[in-house]
Amino acid sequence: MITQNEIVACIIFGIIILLLIALSVILLMGKGAWLIAGYNTLSDKGKAQYDSVTLCKFMGKYLLSIGLLMPAIPVGVIFKMSWLIASYVAYMLISTIFVIAYCNTGNRFKK
């Protein structure tokens, strides 16, 4: 039996998932560079050195994967599958480290 607290948690997670997917769609369209931490704090001269559309699309793919896999948390809680939650957390950690390393090496997003 699902408790009232679990229903509320699922609704909150649902809102967060929809928000993440909506933001990822904006980024996948090549817009919304102001959402990317670090890029939005650069001066106009610094921003001119980067291909913002490519950077936005890359970050949009990352954010979409985070949003689409996020239902693993409420499902794991409801069905008492702690391995599912641990798998999501491991994916988040590994993918975040990869994204940070990928974006900061090789000048991939420089013009």
Side-chain angles (χ1 to χ4, degrees):
M1 186 75 171
I2 298 175
T3 66
Q4 187 174 7
N5 288 340
E6 290 174 336
I7 293 171
V8 171
C10 286
I11 292 170
I12 292 169
F13 268 96
I15 292 168
I16 293 169
I17 290 166
L18 291 175
L19 180 64
L20 288 175
I21 291 173
L23 292 174
S24 70
V25 168
I26 292 169
L27 288 169
L28 285 169
M29 292 188 309
K31 301 184 185 312
W34 56 272
L35 292 169
I36 302 171
Y39 180 81
N40 64 356
T41 59
L42 289 173
S43 65
D44 289 337
K45 186 178 178 181
K47 288 179 184 177
Q49 296 176 2
Y50 289 91
D51 183 0
S52 63
V53 173
T54 305
L55 180 60
C56 285
K57 288 182 179 184
F58 176 76
M59 293 307 294
K61 290 174 189 174
Y62 170 66
L63 193 59
L64 185 62
S65 73
I66 297 298
L68 291 177
L69 293 174
M70 192 175 242
I73 294 175
V75 168
V77 169
I78 291 170
F79 294 108
K80 310 290 187 256
M81 297 187 300
S82 59
W83 64 268
L84 191 58
I85 298 168
S87 298
Y88 180 76
V89 171
Y91 172 77
M92 286 282 299
L93 291 172
I94 293 167
S95 64
T96 301
I97 291 168
F98 168 77
V99 166
I100 291 169
Y102 187 83
C103 287
N104 290 305
T105 58
N107 295 325
R108 290 175 175 85
F109 302 107
K110 293 259 183 162
K111 285 186 179 177

